[in-house]
Amino acid sequence: MKLFKTAKGNILQQNDKYYSNSSAFDELINRENLYGYLSSLQGFTPITDGDAQLILKDHIQPPVQSQEVWAAGVTYLRSRDARMEESKESGGATFYDKVYEAERPELFFKSLPHRVAGTGQDVYIRRDSTWNVPEPELTLFINSKGNIQAYTIGNDMSSRSIEGENPLYLPQAKSYERSAALGPGLYIPEKPVSPDTTISMNIVRGGKIVFGGSIKINQMKRSLTELAGFLYRETDFPTGSFLMTGTCLVPDNNFTLHENDVVDITIQDIGTLSNRVTYKP
Ligand code: DO4
Ligand code: MG
């Protein structure tokens, strides 16, 4: 089933029927057995398909209220190779190789909730960066007890020129206004997502696809529970957290995003996250 946060309340989609509810999103999602709770439809009222579609079209928000957004890096071989290449001049390449093999994963703080874009909203590229890319990532919603309860789509917008110049610049390459997009909603399955789940990304410029690709999450070096476990080792998240799990779709080195490009990321069963690229006004 899917849960959407909107400016008109929460909308649940279950077996092709829609229900609405006005609970605070934080309280609604931070549970053990979120699937079981939502299946009971407690506190939800049926609404028509037409009403639900209208609300979702005009009022959808990113599926986050007070949660921090974190990200894992170098969880796929393709990401390790891309980082090693971009940072070879700075002497930083070896760190990516080491972290790919190490027991401890790379985890970094990505965004506070107010900087996150939802589907249909703009994401930003930095004016002080010459090489900007989107990173399509399966994203976990982990409750305050550290258990994965739901999934969404994440775009870890990144400056590869800043990251490549010096690994210590990672926070500036990764964390700035609208550098994170999440959505369209939360996907809450009864069982964990299948390793055969596919992530696809199209980047559209002037109506033409300038990058397209897809991968399966079974290419990831680490398990989803391992990443969640490291994030919660010595850190509390009272309302839960979001964790982007790393990218495997990396456009060629001569590709950089342009203003007005549209990035569409689709993950099987979850939906499509669509964002236009622009500069911070
Ligand atoms: O270490 C740099 C960031 C890696 C990353 O964001 C990814 O692999 O997705
Ligand atoms: Mg990433």
Side-chain angles (χ1 to χ4, degrees):
M1 79 187 90
K2 293 181 190 173
L3 181 69
F4 301 94
K5 181 171 183 281
T6 83
K8 307 269 182 196
N10 309 306
I11 293 193
L12 183 70
Q13 184 185 3
Q14 193 190 62
N15 300 328
D16 288 332
K17 294 206 164 57
Y18 291 94
Y19 304 86
S20 73
N21 152 302
S22 55
S23 307
F25 196 69
D26 274 356
E27 280 162 35
L28 185 61
I29 63 173
N30 185 27
R31 306 179 176 270
E32 283 299 285
N33 192 8
L34 180 60
Y35 177 86
Y37 179 80
L38 294 176
S39 299
S40 75
L41 294 177
Q42 201 179 310
F44 281 88
T45 316
I47 53 167
T48 64
D49 287 14
D51 284 350
Q53 297 301 348
L54 277 179
I55 296 173
L56 290 172
K57 187 169 135 315
D58 292 334
H59 303 286
I60 194 162
Q61 296 179 335
V64 53
Q65 185 176 358
S66 69
Q67 294 75 22
E68 293 174 19
V69 182
W70 284 68
V74 198
T75 50
Y76 293 89
L77 197 61
R78 177 72 185 100
S79 177
R80 182 202 72 171
D81 293 348
R83 314 293 153 179
M84 287 179 74
E85 209 173 313
E86 83 195 2
S87 59
K88 60 179 185 254
E89 304 253 299
S90 73
T94 176
F95 291 105
Y96 295 106
D97 201 14
K98 280 187 181 146
V99 83
Y100 184 74
E101 298 297 341
E103 188 200 347
R104 184 187 292 277
E106 177 194 4
L107 296 178
F108 57 91
F109 177 75
K110 177 70 186 170
S111 187
L112 288 171
H114 70 269
R115 298 212 175 91
V116 175
T119 195
Q121 293 184 313
D122 292 347
V123 287
Y124 298 160
I125 45 179
R126 296 185 62 119
R127 290 185 173 81
D128 59 358
S129 164
T130 53
W131 188 10
N132 301 293
V133 292
E135 294 189 355
E137 307 193 7
L138 175 70
T139 300
L140 314 175
F141 169 67
I142 310 167
N143 71 7
S144 53
K145 294 215 163 80
N147 297 318
I148 300 166
Q149 297 295 325
Y151 306 84
T152 188
I153 303 169
N155 182 351
D156 171 22
M157 292 283 291
S158 305
S159 161
R160 293 191 66 189
S161 52
I162 295 176
E163 179 182 274
E165 193 178 334
N166 187 323
L168 295 180
Y169 292 156
L170 189 80
Q172 293 173 77
K174 293 285 191 179
S175 190
Y176 56 91
E177 212 60 37
R178 296 284 187 97
S179 66
L182 291 180
L186 295 184
Y187 170 59
I188 306 123
E190 189 172 8
K191 300 206 175 104
V193 288
S194 156
D196 282 331
T197 301
T198 302
I199 305 182
S200 318
M201 176 168 72
N202 280 340
I203 304 173
V204 181
R205 182 173 300 157
K208 292 207 177 91
I209 297 178
V210 289
F211 174 87
S214 61
I215 58 107
K216 283 187 193 295
I217 61 166
N218 63 13
Q219 291 180 45
M220 199 186 295
K221 169 122 196 298
R222 299 175 187 269
S223 72
L224 302 178
T225 48
E226 175 190 350
L227 295 175
F230 268 96
L231 182 61
Y232 278 60
R233 268 197 175 180
E234 295 291 335
T235 311
D236 291 332
F237 296 94
T239 57
S241 65
F242 286 87
L243 178 59
M244 296 179 171
T245 59
T247 194
C248 184
L249 279 174
V250 184
D252 287 346
N253 290 358
N254 57 8
F255 178 89
T256 187
L257 285 169
H258 291 185
E259 192 171 18
N260 292 321
D261 283 355
V262 175
V263 181
D264 289 333
I265 305 171
T266 301
I267 303 186
Q268 197 185 330
D269 298 325
I270 306 183
T272 299
L273 172 68
S274 181
N275 300 97
R276 187 183 74 116
V277 174
T278 188
Y279 293 101
K280 186 166 90 65

